[in-house]
Amino acid sequence: MTQFLPPNLLALFAPRDPIPYLPPLEKLPHEKHHNQPYCGIAPYIREFEDPRDAPPPTRAETREERMERKRREKIERRQQEVETELKMWDPHNDPNAQGDAFKTLFVARVNYDTTESKLRREFEVYGPIKRIHMVYSKRSGKPRGYAFIEYEHERDMHSAYKHADGKKIDGRRVLVDVERGRTVKGWRPRRLGGGLGGTRRGGADVNIRHSGRDDTSRYDERDRDRDRERERRERSRERDKERERRRSRSRDRRRRSRSRDKDERRRSRERSKDKDRERKRRSSRSRERARRERERKEELRGGGGGGGDMAEPSEAGDAPPDDGPPGELGPDGPDGSEEKGRDRDRERRRSHRSERDRRRDRDRDRDREHKRGERGGERGRDEARGGGGGGQDNGLEGLGNDSRDIYMESEGGDGYLAPENGYLMEAAPE
């Protein structure tokens, strides 16, 4: 397959040239013996120079020393330049300083974007202006930030000097002063080491920001006033902070107190609810006990009052037992053991019923008794109208009208009604 490859690819699979044969060395480098043994530097001391002929050691300059040296050199150069310029500076022979010096106003700290027309509009309100000279840099041609304004009348210059200081023009407050170069003897500008103001004294803790036309005695007074104002503001700020801390602590106390009161009210409500539930539980248990006691008494009264068959018909269809024809008694009579067993079974069944069944039985018995009373009352009234009830003693004289009406149903039958529960009982054989 490789014979079909082009020559440039076949050259990649070509074997390299065989390694040339070199005769073996007689001895290895570490086996060779040196003719001269190792020695120290004593034989070479004569090659060194004499210490007396050596130059003195030079000390290198540190970074701090170099910076301090450059700063001193810069100050010296600047002092030399200032001295040279002071010899050449003469404001009275300056070609740019023209006009009356006592009518000229000096305006400094002017915005670099402010134009001459803008200055004219701002300062014409104090009087007519004769000439405005804005100072520009000779190298870059950009404005230096100050100008000279010459008024036609000296009173207008004094008015502007009094009212225009600190006026805001194009977002900057300007400084207004008289021209001191031609009016004050021995005056030197700022570039030659003179000038007014303390804006370039040193750092931020030394420089001031107020107007530079005030004298030095007023600087200290203004500084003291500014320091007193700063201390007053700091004290006021501290009082405000302390008042806010007190208010926050008071709010926290009130919030905690409200929270405690709320928790206490909630716990009291829960305790009252628990007491109400416990009272309801106790009252329900007492009612339940009273009801059970009444039921037990009613059952006992119904089982032992008449001596006959007191069995109540139940839902299962329990009917009074058939003891044979009337006149024949069981082996134990009406109160025999057989009837006692039935009573016990009936009581056991009653005890095993649920509360709902017992309530339903009571409602059914109550309805049955009410219906019987209504029927008995109607029959008694009918017999009273017919005169058929004369003189017979049924044993109901001691009962009330309602009870007598309930038991009137037994007249004309074979049995009688028991005064305890109103059930029809069989008469005892004679």
Side-chain angles (χ1 to χ4, degrees):
M1 187 68 183
T2 56
Q3 64 272 18
F4 299 106
L5 295 176
N8 57 345
L9 295 181
L10 286 175
L12 298 176
F13 295 96
R16 295 179 180 178
D17 297 334
I19 300 174
Y21 174 78
L22 297 176
L25 299 175
E26 297 179 357
K27 288 183 180 181
L28 297 177
H30 66 278
E31 296 176 353
K32 293 181 179 180
H33 296 284
H34 298 281
N35 297 328
Q36 297 180 357
Y38 292 107
C39 63
I41 63 172
Y44 305 98
I45 291 178
R46 63 177 179 272
E47 303 295 337
F48 297 159
E49 65 180 354
D50 191 1
R52 291 173 296 185
D53 299 336
T58 59
R59 181 178 176 275
E61 187 180 20
T62 61
R63 181 174 178 270
E64 289 77 10
E65 294 175 350
R66 184 172 62 257
M67 293 177 63
E68 182 66 21
R69 178 178 54 80
K70 290 182 178 180
R71 188 181 66 83
R72 286 196 304 267
E73 293 176 356
K74 183 177 180 180
I75 292 174
E76 292 175 358
R77 286 196 304 270
R78 180 59 185 165
Q79 288 178 353
Q80 293 176 1
E81 293 175 0
V82 168
E83 291 176 358
T84 305
E85 291 181 0
L86 277 175
K87 294 177 181 179
M88 298 174 59
W89 184 68
D90 186 8
H92 298 282
N93 297 324
D94 189 0
N96 295 324
Q98 300 176 1
D100 189 356
F102 294 95
K103 298 180 182 179
T104 305
L105 191 71
F106 171 74
V107 182
R109 301 177 187 175
V110 182
N111 194 331
Y112 294 129
D113 298 331
T114 303
T115 60
E116 182 177 342
S117 59
K118 178 70 174 180
L119 282 178
R120 183 178 294 274
R121 285 196 303 271
E122 292 292 338
F123 284 90
E124 271 184 345
V125 296
Y126 306 105
I129 296 176
K130 184 177 181 180
R131 188 177 66 90
I132 295 179
H133 174 66
M134 296 189 69
V135 181
Y136 294 90
S137 176
K138 295 180 180 180
R139 290 179 297 180
S140 61
K142 295 181 180 179
R144 296 288 301 275
Y146 63 95
F148 294 91
I149 301 176
E150 183 183 358
Y151 283 89
E152 294 183 358
H153 304 285
E154 188 175 350
R155 62 176 182 273
D156 299 335
M157 188 274 295
H158 287 291
S159 177
Y161 172 81
K162 183 177 180 180
H163 298 96
D165 186 35
K167 189 175 184 179
K168 184 177 286 188
I169 301 176
D170 291 338
R172 292 194 65 179
R173 295 191 181 276
V174 297
L175 184 146
V176 176
D177 194 10
V178 297
E179 183 186 350
R180 296 177 181 267
R182 293 183 293 174
T183 57
V184 178
K185 186 178 180 179
W187 172 260
R188 291 186 300 175
R190 175 68 63 84
R191 61 185 178 86
L192 299 179
L196 292 179
T199 57
R200 299 183 184 179
R201 292 179 180 178
D205 55 340
V206 180
N207 292 340
I208 58 177
R209 292 181 177 274
H210 50 74
S211 176
R213 73 184 190 183
D214 298 332
D215 55 356
T216 310
S217 61
R218 299 184 62 181
Y219 293 162
D220 301 335
E221 184 178 355
R222 288 194 177 187
D223 291 342
R224 287 193 298 270
D225 295 341
R226 187 174 61 256
D227 294 340
R228 285 194 294 268
E229 183 67 21
R230 187 186 302 109
E231 292 177 359
R232 187 186 62 81
R233 286 197 299 268
E234 290 178 358
R235 287 195 299 270
S236 177
R237 194 179 299 110
E238 290 296 332
R239 286 195 297 270
D240 294 341
K241 289 181 180 179
E242 183 64 24
R243 192 180 299 111
E244 184 64 26
R245 283 195 292 269
R246 291 200 199 98
R247 289 177 182 174
S248 63
R249 287 196 294 267
S250 177
R251 285 195 295 268
D252 294 339
R253 284 195 296 269
R254 287 198 297 270
R255 191 181 299 109
R256 288 194 296 269
S257 177
R258 286 195 297 268
S259 178
R260 285 196 297 269
D261 295 342
K262 188 183 297 182
D263 295 340
E264 184 64 26
R265 288 195 297 270
R266 181 177 54 81
R267 286 194 292 269
S268 63
R269 285 196 299 269
E270 291 178 356
R271 286 195 296 268
S272 62
K273 288 180 181 179
D274 294 340
K275 290 180 180 178
D276 294 340
R277 285 195 292 268
E278 184 65 23
R279 194 180 301 109
K280 290 180 181 179
R281 196 180 299 111
R282 290 178 182 175
S283 61
S284 63
R285 286 200 295 267
S286 62
R287 287 196 299 270
E288 184 67 21
R289 285 196 297 270
R291 184 182 56 75
R292 290 178 182 175
E293 186 67 22
R294 286 195 302 271
E295 290 180 357
R296 189 175 61 80
K297 289 181 179 180
E298 289 177 1
E299 291 176 359
L300 292 177
R301 191 183 304 115
D309 191 3
M310 303 286 292
E312 178 183 358
S314 63
E315 292 181 1
D318 296 336
D322 189 6
D323 293 335
E328 294 183 6
L329 300 176
D332 297 331
D335 297 330
S337 61
E338 186 176 355
E339 187 170 349
K340 291 181 179 179
R342 286 198 298 270
D343 292 342
R344 285 195 299 270
D345 295 339
R346 185 171 62 253
E347 291 178 1
R348 191 180 298 112
R349 286 195 300 270
R350 278 179 175 272
S351 64
H352 286 99
R353 290 178 184 176
S354 63
E355 181 65 24
R356 189 189 309 169
D357 297 337
R358 287 198 296 272
R359 191 180 297 110
R360 188 172 54 209
D361 293 343
R362 286 197 303 273
D363 296 341
R364 188 176 60 250
D365 294 344
R366 193 180 300 110
D367 295 340
R368 187 183 296 114
E369 290 176 2
H370 185 66
K371 291 179 182 178
R372 285 178 182 175
E374 290 178 356
R375 287 198 300 270
E378 293 176 359
R379 186 176 299 176
R381 285 192 294 273
D382 294 340
E383 290 180 356
R385 293 191 193 96
Q392 187 177 357
D393 186 10
N394 281 333
L396 302 176
E397 288 79 9
L399 301 175
N401 295 328
D402 296 334
S403 302
R404 189 179 294 110
D405 293 338
I406 292 173
Y407 300 121
M408 291 297 292
E409 190 178 32
S410 63
E411 295 182 4
D414 294 336
Y416 67 94
L417 288 173
E420 289 81 8
N421 52 15
Y423 288 146
L424 182 62
M425 305 297 293
E426 294 180 358
E430 298 178 356

